[in-house]
């Protein structure tokens, strides 16, 4: 288990607009979005924790999963990365306080920017792991797969969350299997040989991905 503190000074504006539902809105105010981003950067404290675990026949570590989608996603890999990432409780408090102050537009934009930022934090971890460990081993990291996605039920967090050791960075699992702070994620990524990764990349539409093996 290792804790990583992502160093992020800019938030993806396009993703912020997308999460706010403003991608096609020509009337959005750039200065309000910029203010939301700055408000978020003042309070966000991105942290990630990860571990490497064995995988075989529907079992990650000692956790047995039922999801067929996850089984297909991890097919052929003998080791996976399990991770948790969070922006910290201050982000939730900031969004809530803006709503209490009737600053709904700014609150919605800070919330959207936070959604973009937590994804960037997880991407930062992925890039860090690839460059520091897996590139020199001839391996690639597959995409993240999280409880609640496809047929991997959100309730499976009860078995999966302990593997991520998210409590080490201040994340709690609620009785409803959601994460607290709200801007937190857990996920698993397959570790695959570059030869196998090429097969996946050949069918992938993300042509600009920095991890693409067949540019």
């Amino acid at each position: 288990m290792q804790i990583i503190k992502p160093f992020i000074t800019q938030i993806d504006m396009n993703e912020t607009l997308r999460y706010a539902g403003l991608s096609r809105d020509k009337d959005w105010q750039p200065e309000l979005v910029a203010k939301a981003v700055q408000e978020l950067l003042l309070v966000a404290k991105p942290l990630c924790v990860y571990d490497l675990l064995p995988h075989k026949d529907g079992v990650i570590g000692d956790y047995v999963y039922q999801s067929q989608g996850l089984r297909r996603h991890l097919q052929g890999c003998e080791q996976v990365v399990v991770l948790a990432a969070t922006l910290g409780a201050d982000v939730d408090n900031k969004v809530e306080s803006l709503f209490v102050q009737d600053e709904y537009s700014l609150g919605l934009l800070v919330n959207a920017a936070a959604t973009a930022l937590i994804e960037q934090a997880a991407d930062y971890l992925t890039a860090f792991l690839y460059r520091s460990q897996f590139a020199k081993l001839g391996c690639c990291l597959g995409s993240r797969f999280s409880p609640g996605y496809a047929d991997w039920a959100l309730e499976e967090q009860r078995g999966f969350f302990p593997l991520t050791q998210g409590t080490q960075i201040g994340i709690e699992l609620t009785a409803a299997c959601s994460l607290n702070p709200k801007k937190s994620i857990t996920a698993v990524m397959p570790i695959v040989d570059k030869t196998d990764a090429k097969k996946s990349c050949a069918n992938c539409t993300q042509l600009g991905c920095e991890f693409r093996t067949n540019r």
Side-chain angles (χ1 to χ4, degrees), residues 134-152:
F134 299 117
K136 58 189 175 185
L137 298 176
C139 296
C140 290
L141 287 168
S143 58
R144 296 188 295 276
F145 202 105
S146 298
Y149 178 75
D151 67 339
W152 196 11

Side-chain angles (χ1 to χ4, degrees), residues 121-138:
D123 289 342
Y124 182 103
L125 174 63
T126 301
F128 169 80
L129 290 174
Y130 177 71
R131 291 166 181 156
S132 65
Q133 296 188 39
F134 299 117
K136 58 189 175 185
L137 298 176

Side-chain angles (χ1 to χ4, degrees), residues 13 19 24 53 61 66 110 120 175 186 194:
M13 191 69 73
Y19 287 123
R24 299 182 181 181
L53 294 176
Q66 304 300 322
V110 171
Q120 286 181 240
T186 60
K194 281 189 176 181

Side-chain angles (χ1 to χ4, degrees), residues 8-9 11 34-46 87 90-91 94 110 117:
I8 301 173
T9 58
I11 299 175
K35 181 179 179 180
V37 167
Q38 290 305 311
E39 293 270 357
L40 174 61
L41 288 173
L42 287 173
V43 297
K45 300 179 179 65
L87 300 185
D90 288 347
V91 172
K94 181 65 178 180
V110 171
L117 181 57

Side-chain angles (χ1 to χ4, degrees), residues 3 12 29 32 42 56 64-65 79 88 94-95 121 129 145 151-152 162-163 172 181 192 213 215:
I3 295 175
D12 190 314
Q29 300 172 283
L32 187 59
L42 287 173
K56 184 178 181 181
V64 181
Y65 62 85
Q79 194 175 38
K94 181 65 178 180
V95 172
L129 290 174
F145 202 105
D151 67 339
W152 196 11
L163 300 182
E172 297 179 349
V192 295
T213 60
R215 296 181 186 183

Side-chain angles (χ1 to χ4, degrees), residues 27-183:
D27 297 323
W28 59 272
Q29 300 172 283
E31 63 276 9
L32 187 59
V33 179
K35 181 179 179 180
V37 167
Q38 290 305 311
E39 293 270 357
L40 174 61
L41 288 173
L42 287 173
V43 297
K45 300 179 179 65
L47 284 175
C48 301
V49 61
Y50 75 91
D51 205 353
L52 307 182
L53 294 176
H55 168 262
K56 184 178 181 181
D57 298 332
V59 182
I60 301 172
D62 58 1
Y63 161 63
V64 181
Y65 62 85
Q66 304 300 322
S67 166
Q68 293 304 308
L70 181 58
R71 184 180 290 272
R72 288 191 295 272
H73 190 67
L74 301 182
Q75 184 177 4
C77 79
E78 298 179 352
Q79 194 175 38
V80 298
V81 173
V82 295
L83 67 96
T86 187
L87 300 185
D90 288 347
V91 172
D92 291 353
N93 295 336
K94 181 65 178 180
V95 172
E96 183 177 350
S97 69
L98 288 170
F99 287 137
V100 169
Q101 297 165 25
D102 293 334
E103 296 195 53
Y104 296 110
S105 295
L106 185 58
L108 286 170
L109 287 170
V110 171
N111 187 66
T115 302
L117 181 57
I118 190 61
E119 293 295 329
Q120 286 181 240
D123 289 342
Y124 182 103
L125 174 63
T126 301
F128 169 80
L129 290 174
Y130 177 71
R131 291 166 181 156
S132 65
Q133 296 188 39
F134 299 117
K136 58 189 175 185
L137 298 176
C139 296
C140 290
L141 287 168
S143 58
R144 296 188 295 276
F145 202 105
S146 298
Y149 178 75
D151 67 339
W152 196 11
L154 186 62
E155 291 73 20
E156 290 296 305
Q157 285 277 27
R158 295 190 182 98
F160 178 69
F161 178 73
L163 300 182
T164 70
Q165 302 188 58
T167 55
Q168 298 298 314
I169 54 173
I171 304 176
E172 297 179 349
L173 184 66
T174 71
C177 293
S178 60
L179 301 176
N180 188 36
K182 294 177 182 178
K183 295 306 177 182

